[in-house]
Amino acid sequence: MFHFADYDDIRDRMNRIHRLHQIWESFTAVPPEGSGGIPLARKLCYAVGGVPYQVTAVAIGVSLQIFLLDVVQMEAFYVSMILFVSRVWDAVTDPLVGFLVSRSNWTPIGKLTPWLVLSTPLGILSYLLLWFVPRGSTSDQAVSVLWFLTAACLFETLMSCYNLPYLSLNMFLGGDRRDRDSATAYRMSVEMVAMLVASVIQGRVVAVYNTEKQEACQHLEPDHETPGSTLLPQSASLKETQKAFLTSALVIGALFFLCSLVLFLGVKEQRGPPCSDDTVRPSYLTSLKMLICHVPYQRLVAGFVFSALAFQMSLGNFALFCSHAAGLGAHFQLLLLVLLVSASVAVPLWQAVLLRIGKKATVFIGLSLFIPAVAIVACLPSNLPVFLTMCILMGFSMATVFLLPWSMLPDVVDDFAARHPSCKDLEPLFFSCYAFCSKLAGGLSVGISTMTLQFVGYRANACNHSDGVVTALIVLFSPVPIALLLIGMVFFRFYPINERQCLHQEQLTTVQ
């Protein structure tokens, strides 16, 4: 016999199922274009798309200099030339790629996604070539230089074709300013985890390198171990290290492919509002001139360039500083892991802080932490507990320079659109010029660092280095980055956009 209690039980269960269904729909549903709000699933898939660029950038930043100097056994001058020319080439091609992306037409899968799909397999192939040593190239310096210069420039170009459309995708996710900021925070959190994974992979490679080099040095006569003069013989090539580099390249290539697949399947571009009849599409040079003359963009880019140059100068010499100046080469992976874990933890914390006090104030607080951290490490380089503690501060500060400038850039794009309502589809150019400045800073960092080491007498495969090399590494790790960071903070001081006022104006416009 049927009882009312059974009916109530069935009704309660149906209500629970209905509520669960509503929760699932709120997680996965794609809102109508222009309705506002970005589903969590889309934010996560978008964030995963940033992994390929970060893992390859970490691998190149941490290991390529060591790989070319000690595994390929290339002179420091040629290493500097390859790293600097490839970065400058990459920086110069960025605005051009951004302009071409902005002129792309919509397809059934969007205007940015085709660039991502086509550049992924070619980018993976060029990355593998970057870590492959052709037979006989170690004995022929010209062949070696030509091979790695070509591979580096090809890889950087293809990564521009992937990364610039990916960065511009932030403006086509839907939602409002807060939603885009949230998506940026998700992206930065995932990218920090990606950097952590890449550091683990490259840390194992550096450990193999340190072990093999130490064993080779132990076979040399102790009577010849004068600083800066004891070199490994040419026959003592680092075979296991070379194999480890190539293996790590294969692992990172596989990760590149999987993350690109997640991005392609999980993110659908949202069209912007339809263009009016008075919409103009300025030429390449005219577009660049308009961007350069936009004052908020000037201040943000200048602050970002000097800050990025400071961090890249310090972190780009992190491995050599640990090995030769601090004498903590065996703890390099631990130090790098502590730095990146703290940076990963700091990203959501800084996101919460900027919502309370604003982006500009958060930038100043976060960047300021870097100055005492590197200063103390430079004074006490061999003290492992102090070094570990300062790596935590450095990680928190690094999270700031990763999160805040990229979170402030959409505000500048919105400000430009409000001032030039007839100019449309320039978002990729904004992001490409921003990436251009970042990569130019990276190229200057690597070029200045390697040329400085060449000037003070750094010699590839040396078991010991002179005091001049040690001093140069300390200067490149601490005093120079501090000076650059202070200049960047001056430019941030004059950044004119107040995102709280902009958000308030948007809300008033919506109400009206």
Side-chain angles (χ1 to χ4, degrees):
M1 181 179 293
F2 181 79
H3 297 284
F4 285 105
D6 297 331
Y7 173 77
D8 292 339
D9 182 59
I10 292 172
R11 185 181 60 184
D12 291 340
R13 292 185 181 183
M14 292 296 294
N15 288 335
R16 291 195 200 103
I17 293 173
H18 181 65
R19 284 196 296 270
L20 290 173
H21 181 67
Q22 288 179 327
I23 293 172
W24 173 253
E25 282 188 337
S26 67
F27 180 79
T28 59
V30 178
E33 294 177 4
S35 63
I38 304 176
L40 178 60
R42 192 190 301 168
K43 291 180 183 179
L44 293 175
C45 292
Y46 168 72
V48 169
V51 171
Y53 181 80
Q54 291 301 329
V55 293
T56 54
V58 168
I60 291 174
V62 170
S63 301
L64 187 59
Q65 190 178 31
I66 292 176
F67 176 76
L68 294 178
L69 285 171
D70 290 349
V71 177
V72 183
Q73 299 179 5
M74 193 181 295
E75 292 183 12
F77 172 78
Y78 294 114
V79 174
S80 175
M81 183 189 72
I82 289 173
L83 297 177
F84 180 72
V85 170
S86 64
R87 294 290 183 88
V88 172
W89 167 264
D90 180 35
V92 170
T93 56
D94 270 352
L96 180 59
V97 172
F99 182 76
L100 294 175
V101 172
S102 67
R103 290 296 183 264
S104 301
N105 295 319
W106 280 92
T107 67
I109 59 175
K111 65 179 293 185
L112 303 177
T113 306
W115 288 83
L116 301 171
V117 173
L118 294 175
S119 61
T120 293
L122 297 176
I124 294 172
L125 178 61
S126 62
Y127 181 76
L128 295 178
L129 294 177
L130 191 59
W131 303 97
F132 176 76
V133 182
R135 184 173 299 177
S137 63
T138 54
S139 59
D140 191 337
Q141 192 82 251
V143 172
S144 183
V145 171
L146 181 62
W147 172 271
F148 288 103
L149 180 60
T150 303
C153 290
L154 180 62
F155 170 74
E156 297 292 358
T157 302
L158 291 169
M159 281 308 296
S160 294
C161 294
Y162 174 89
N163 194 49
L164 296 179
Y166 168 74
L167 294 174
S168 304
L169 195 58
N170 180 270
M171 304 298 295
F172 297 91
L173 293 175
D176 56 15
R177 188 187 301 266
R178 284 288 178 89
D179 292 315
R180 295 199 303 267
D181 287 348
S182 175
T184 300
Y186 276 101
R187 174 169 73 89
M188 291 304 171
S189 297
V190 172
E191 287 184 357
M192 286 296 175
V193 175
M195 294 174 66
L196 185 62
V197 172
S199 70
V200 171
I201 296 172
Q202 295 306 118
R204 296 309 306 162
V205 176
V206 174
V208 172
Y209 158 76
N210 285 329
T211 300
E212 193 173 15
K213 184 175 180 180
Q214 185 178 7
E215 291 176 355
C217 287
Q218 288 175 351
H219 289 85
L220 298 176
E221 293 294 333
D223 296 337
H224 300 287
E225 294 184 358
T226 56
S229 63
T230 305
L231 301 176
L232 295 180
Q234 291 295 319
S235 59
S237 57
L238 305 176
K239 295 292 184 182
E240 293 300 321
T241 302
Q242 181 177 333
K243 188 184 300 182
F245 273 116
L246 191 56
T247 302
S248 73
L250 291 170
V251 173
I252 290 176
L255 189 61
F256 192 148
F257 175 77
L258 292 175
C259 294
S260 301
L261 188 63
V262 171
L263 176 66
F264 174 67
L265 297 177
V267 178
K268 180 182 178 182
E269 296 177 48
Q270 305 297 298
R271 283 181 179 268
C275 297
S276 59
D277 295 335
D278 61 346
T279 297
V280 296
R281 304 188 78 178
S283 65
Y284 177 60
L285 293 179
T286 303
S287 301
L288 284 179
K289 183 179 179 180
M290 293 176 68
L291 263 64
I292 294 172
C293 293
H294 190 56
V295 174
Y297 193 62
Q298 292 176 357
R299 307 281 170 79
L300 181 62
V301 166
F304 178 61
V305 165
F306 281 98
S307 301
L309 182 57
F311 278 83
Q312 293 186 45
M313 183 78 72
S314 184
L315 299 179
N317 293 284
F318 192 71
L320 292 175
F321 178 84
C322 292
S323 299
H324 304 308
L328 299 174
H331 302 283
F332 166 73
Q333 187 174 12
L334 173 62
L335 293 167
L336 192 59
L337 284 176
V338 170
L339 189 150
L340 292 177
V341 167
S342 63
S344 302
V345 173
V347 168
L349 296 179
W350 287 128
Q351 177 67 16
V353 171
L354 71 86
L355 292 175
R356 288 183 172 272
I357 66 174
K359 298 175 183 178
K360 187 173 176 179
T362 306
V363 165
F364 277 95
I365 296 173
L367 294 182
S368 300
L369 298 177
F370 186 78
I371 297 174
V374 293
I376 292 173
V377 169
C379 295
L380 302 169
S382 301
N383 192 316
L384 182 59
V386 172
F387 206 149
L388 287 171
T389 305
M390 294 303 104
C391 280
I392 296 175
L393 280 182
M394 291 168 60
F396 269 74
S397 186
M398 186 174 73
T400 308
V401 83
F402 266 85
L403 173 64
L404 269 301
W406 289 106
S407 182
M408 296 159 79
L409 181 57
D411 299 340
V412 174
V413 176
D414 289 340
D415 182 77
F416 180 87
R419 295 172 184 269
H420 305 86
S422 61
C423 296
K424 301 292 183 182
D425 298 327
L426 291 182
E427 293 90 352
L429 191 59
F430 269 95
F431 283 89
S432 65
C433 291
Y434 209 53
F436 158 82
C437 295
S438 173
K439 293 174 181 179
L440 183 61
L444 290 172
S445 166
V446 172
I448 293 171
S449 299
T450 311
M451 289 301 295
T452 301
L453 294 177
Q454 170 81 4
F455 178 76
V456 297
Y458 180 91
R459 303 181 68 182
N461 282 336
C463 297
N464 300 287
H465 289 283
S466 64
D467 292 338
V469 173
V470 174
T471 302
L473 288 172
I474 293 174
V475 171
L476 292 172
F477 181 78
S478 180
V480 173
I482 289 175
L484 293 170
L485 191 61
L486 291 174
I487 296 174
M489 293 173 71
V490 171
F491 283 104
F492 279 126
R493 168 66 179 80
F494 295 101
Y495 173 72
I497 295 179
N498 186 324
E499 72 277 2
R500 288 188 170 186
Q501 293 179 359
C502 295
L503 184 61
H504 181 63
Q505 291 174 0
E506 287 181 0
Q507 293 172 347
L508 290 177
T509 303
T510 304
V511 172
Q512 294 173 355

